[in-house]
Protein backbone atom coordinates (compact mmCIF):
# COMPACT_ATOMS: atom_id res chain seq x y z
CA UNK A 1 0.00 0.00 0.00
CA UNK A 2 1.10 3.55 -0.68
CA UNK A 3 0.55 5.80 2.33
CA UNK A 4 2.08 8.92 0.85
CA UNK A 5 0.35 12.25 0.43
CA UNK A 6 1.50 14.69 -2.19
CA UNK A 7 3.62 17.55 -0.86
CA UNK A 8 0.85 20.14 -1.21
CA UNK A 9 -1.70 17.99 0.68
CA UNK A 10 0.89 17.23 3.36
CA UNK A 11 1.63 20.94 3.88
CA UNK A 12 -2.04 21.94 3.87
CA UNK A 13 -2.98 19.21 6.34
CA UNK A 14 -0.02 20.07 8.58
CA UNK A 15 -1.08 23.73 8.71
CA UNK A 16 -4.66 22.75 9.51
CA UNK A 17 -3.45 20.39 12.26
CA UNK A 18 -1.39 23.26 13.72
CA UNK A 19 -4.51 25.39 13.81
CA UNK A 20 -6.71 22.82 15.56
CA UNK A 21 -4.08 21.31 17.89
CA UNK A 22 -2.54 24.63 18.96
CA UNK A 23 -5.21 27.30 18.69
CA UNK A 24 -8.76 26.29 17.73
CA UNK A 25 -9.71 22.70 18.56
CA UNK A 26 -13.34 23.83 18.59
CA UNK A 27 -13.07 24.64 14.86
CA UNK A 28 -13.60 20.94 14.13
CA UNK A 29 -15.24 19.91 17.39
CA UNK A 30 -12.36 18.19 19.19
CA UNK A 31 -11.23 18.72 22.76
CA UNK A 32 -7.72 18.81 24.18
CA UNK A 33 -6.96 17.47 27.64
CA UNK A 34 -4.98 19.50 30.17
CA UNK A 35 -1.70 18.51 28.46
CA UNK A 36 -2.93 19.21 24.95
CA UNK A 37 -3.62 15.59 23.90
CA UNK A 38 -6.61 14.55 21.80
CA UNK A 39 -7.83 11.14 20.68
CA UNK A 40 -6.41 10.17 17.27
CA UNK A 41 -9.54 8.30 16.10
CA UNK A 42 -11.78 11.26 17.01
CA UNK A 43 -9.35 13.67 15.31
CA UNK A 44 -9.30 11.59 12.12
CA UNK A 45 -13.12 11.46 12.07
CA UNK A 46 -13.38 15.23 12.52
CA UNK A 47 -10.67 15.86 9.90
CA UNK A 48 -12.64 13.69 7.44
CA UNK A 49 -15.80 15.71 8.18
CA UNK A 50 -13.90 18.93 7.42
CA UNK A 51 -12.46 17.75 4.08
CA UNK A 52 -9.06 16.69 5.45
CA UNK A 53 -9.28 12.91 5.05
CA UNK A 54 -6.23 11.14 6.46
CA UNK A 55 -5.37 7.57 7.39
CA UNK A 56 -3.46 6.66 10.53
CA UNK A 57 -0.46 5.71 8.39
CA UNK A 58 -0.57 9.08 6.61
CA UNK A 59 -0.87 10.86 9.97
CA UNK A 60 2.18 8.95 11.23
CA UNK A 61 4.14 10.01 8.12
CA UNK A 62 3.03 13.63 8.62
CA UNK A 63 4.23 13.59 12.23
CA UNK A 64 7.52 11.83 11.41
CA UNK A 65 8.42 13.99 8.42
CA UNK A 66 7.38 17.40 9.77
CA UNK A 67 10.63 19.36 9.60
CA UNK A 68 9.68 21.42 12.65
CA UNK A 69 8.55 18.35 14.64
CA UNK A 70 5.36 20.21 15.57
CA UNK A 71 3.38 17.13 16.59
CA UNK A 72 3.87 14.09 18.81
CA UNK A 73 2.04 10.83 19.42
CA UNK A 74 1.77 9.07 22.75
CA UNK A 75 3.39 5.61 22.99
CA UNK A 76 0.47 3.62 21.52
CA UNK A 77 -0.50 6.20 18.86
CA UNK A 78 -3.96 6.64 20.41
CA UNK A 79 -3.38 10.33 21.22
CA UNK A 80 -1.66 13.23 19.47
CA UNK A 81 -0.74 16.79 20.43
CA UNK A 82 1.16 19.81 19.20
CA UNK A 83 4.64 20.00 20.73
CA UNK A 84 4.40 23.71 21.64
CA UNK A 85 3.06 27.03 20.42
CA UNK A 86 -0.41 26.77 21.92
CA UNK A 87 -2.62 29.79 22.45
CA UNK A 88 -5.22 27.65 24.25
CA UNK A 89 -4.74 26.93 27.95
CA UNK A 90 -2.82 23.68 28.45
CA UNK A 91 0.07 22.43 30.56
CA UNK A 92 2.60 20.54 28.44
CA UNK A 93 4.29 19.04 31.48
CA UNK A 94 7.83 19.98 30.53
CA UNK A 95 10.42 19.92 33.28
CA UNK A 96 12.83 22.81 33.77
CA UNK A 97 16.07 22.35 31.82
CA UNK A 98 19.47 24.03 31.80
CA UNK A 99 19.87 25.87 28.49
CA UNK A 100 23.08 26.27 26.51
CA UNK A 101 25.05 29.46 27.12
CA UNK A 102 23.45 31.19 24.16
CA UNK A 103 20.11 30.77 22.40
CA UNK A 104 18.67 32.66 19.43
CA UNK A 105 15.38 34.30 18.53
CA UNK A 106 14.44 34.91 14.92
CA UNK A 107 11.78 37.42 13.93
CA UNK A 108 11.03 40.05 11.31
CA UNK A 109 12.93 43.35 11.19
CA UNK A 110 9.71 45.26 11.84
CA UNK A 111 9.86 43.89 15.43
CA UNK A 112 13.37 45.13 16.27
CA UNK A 113 12.37 48.43 17.93
CA UNK A 114 9.66 46.84 20.06
CA UNK A 115 11.95 44.01 21.20
CA UNK A 116 14.77 46.43 22.02
CA UNK A 117 12.29 48.39 24.13
CA UNK A 118 10.43 45.63 26.02
CA UNK A 119 12.35 42.40 25.43
CA UNK A 120 10.78 39.19 24.16
CA UNK A 121 7.24 38.62 25.38
CA UNK A 122 5.21 35.45 24.97
CA UNK A 123 2.14 37.46 23.93
CA UNK A 124 -0.73 35.06 23.17
CA UNK A 125 1.49 31.98 23.41
CA UNK A 126 2.44 30.07 26.52
CA UNK A 127 6.16 30.83 26.14
CA UNK A 128 8.78 32.75 24.17
CA UNK A 129 10.28 30.38 21.59
CA UNK A 130 14.08 30.23 21.24
CA UNK A 131 16.35 28.26 18.91
CA UNK A 132 19.59 26.49 19.71
CA UNK A 133 21.24 27.62 16.46
CA UNK A 134 21.35 30.66 14.19
CA UNK A 135 20.16 28.78 11.09
CA UNK A 136 16.88 27.79 12.74
CA UNK A 137 16.40 31.32 14.08
CA UNK A 138 17.01 32.70 10.57
CA UNK A 139 14.41 30.33 9.12
CA UNK A 140 11.91 31.45 11.78
CA UNK A 141 12.72 35.10 11.10
CA UNK A 142 12.10 34.65 7.37
CA UNK A 143 8.51 33.64 8.13
CA UNK A 144 8.00 37.14 9.57
CA UNK A 145 9.38 39.18 6.67
CA UNK A 146 12.93 40.48 6.40
CA UNK A 147 14.71 38.39 9.07
CA UNK A 148 16.67 39.45 12.09
CA UNK A 149 18.25 37.40 14.86
CA UNK A 150 18.69 38.22 18.51
CA UNK A 151 21.23 36.39 20.63
CA UNK A 152 19.93 35.50 24.10
CA UNK A 153 22.28 35.15 27.09
CA UNK A 154 20.40 32.06 28.24
CA UNK A 155 22.92 30.70 30.75
CA UNK A 156 23.12 34.07 32.47
CA UNK A 157 19.32 34.28 32.57
CA UNK A 158 19.08 30.81 34.07
CA UNK A 159 21.74 31.64 36.68
CA UNK A 160 19.73 34.74 37.60
CA UNK A 161 16.54 32.77 38.23
CA UNK A 162 14.77 32.47 34.89
CA UNK A 163 13.30 29.06 34.06
CA UNK A 164 13.76 27.33 30.71
CA UNK A 165 12.08 24.29 29.21
CA UNK A 166 12.88 22.30 26.09
CA UNK A 167 9.99 20.97 24.01
CA UNK A 168 9.93 17.53 22.42
CA UNK A 169 11.07 19.04 19.12
CA UNK A 170 14.06 20.90 20.59
CA UNK A 171 12.57 24.38 20.86
CA UNK A 172 13.66 26.23 24.02
CA UNK A 173 10.90 27.95 25.96
CA UNK A 174 10.82 30.64 28.65
CA UNK A 175 8.27 33.18 29.87
CA UNK A 176 10.08 36.42 29.03
CA UNK A 177 13.50 37.65 27.91
CA UNK A 178 14.33 41.10 29.31
CA UNK A 179 16.22 43.52 27.07
CA UNK A 180 19.43 43.24 29.12
CA UNK A 181 19.88 39.61 27.93
CA UNK A 182 19.42 40.41 24.23
CA UNK A 183 21.85 41.40 21.51
CA UNK A 184 20.86 41.98 17.87
CA UNK A 185 23.33 39.96 15.79
CA UNK A 186 21.67 39.91 12.36
CA UNK A 187 21.56 42.11 10.50
CA UNK A 188 24.75 43.23 12.16
Amino acid sequence: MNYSMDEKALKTTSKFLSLVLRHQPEAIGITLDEQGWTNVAALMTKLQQHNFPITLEQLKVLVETNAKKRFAFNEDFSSIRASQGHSVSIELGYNPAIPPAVLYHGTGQQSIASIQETGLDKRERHHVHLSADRETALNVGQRHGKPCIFEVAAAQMQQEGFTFFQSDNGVWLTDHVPVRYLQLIFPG
Side-chain angles (χ1 to χ4, degrees):
M1 286 189 150
N2 181 1
Y3 299 121
S4 66
M5 298 172 79
D6 69 51
E7 192 172 321
K8 184 178 179 184
L10 194 67
K11 186 174 185 177
T12 301
T13 303
S14 178
K15 285 185 174 193
F16 190 69
L17 271 179
S18 286
L19 173 72
V20 299
L21 293 178
R22 294 166 75 187
H23 308 295
Q24 297 177 14
E26 71 281 358
I28 62 169
I30 61 170
T31 57
L32 305 179
D33 72 12
E34 60 276 356
Q35 282 114 24
W37 295 103
T38 194
N39 179 276
V40 168
L43 174 67
M44 289 172 43
T45 298
K46 295 296 186 175
L47 287 172
Q48 172 79 29
Q49 293 170 358
H50 288 81
N51 298 316
F52 285 91
I54 192 167
T55 66
L56 179 59
E57 292 305 317
Q58 289 171 328
L59 188 58
K60 286 179 180 178
V61 168
L62 188 149
V63 170
E64 290 170 15
T65 61
N66 184 274
K68 298 173 187 164
K69 303 294 180 200
R70 287 195 166 151
F71 315 106
F73 283 110
N74 66 348
E75 289 181 11
D76 68 0
F77 297 97
S78 64
S79 294
I80 189 171
R81 74 175 180 182
S83 297
Q84 89 283 324
H86 299 80
S87 60
V88 295
S89 180
I90 59 146
E91 176 53 57
L92 291 169
Y94 294 134
N95 293 317
I98 297 173
V102 174
L103 290 169
Y104 303 92
H105 181 79
T107 191
Q109 287 188 8
Q110 71 278 7
S111 299
I112 291 174
S114 173
I115 291 170
Q116 289 176 326
E117 186 176 313
T118 65
L120 295 173
D121 295 310
K122 60 185 177 180
R123 302 190 185 226
E124 72 278 352
R125 291 186 170 187
H126 286 250
H127 296 99
V128 172
H129 293 196
L130 303 170
S131 305
D133 60 84
R134 290 179 190 194
E135 181 180 336
T136 302
L138 182 62
N139 290 336
V140 170
Q142 289 172 337
R143 293 197 313 252
H144 300 282
K146 210 169 185 183
C148 70
I149 301 173
F150 283 90
E151 188 175 270
V152 178
Q156 181 183 355
M157 282 182 63
Q158 195 268 332
Q159 290 168 359
E160 294 178 10
F162 289 83
T163 304
F164 287 83
F165 306 92
Q166 189 173 27
S167 69
D168 295 338
N169 62 352
V171 174
W172 284 91
L173 309 168
T174 193
D175 285 334
H176 174 72
V177 180
V179 175
R180 69 183 178 276
Y181 300 107
L182 292 169
Q183 179 181 350
L184 181 64
I185 61 169
F186 179 82

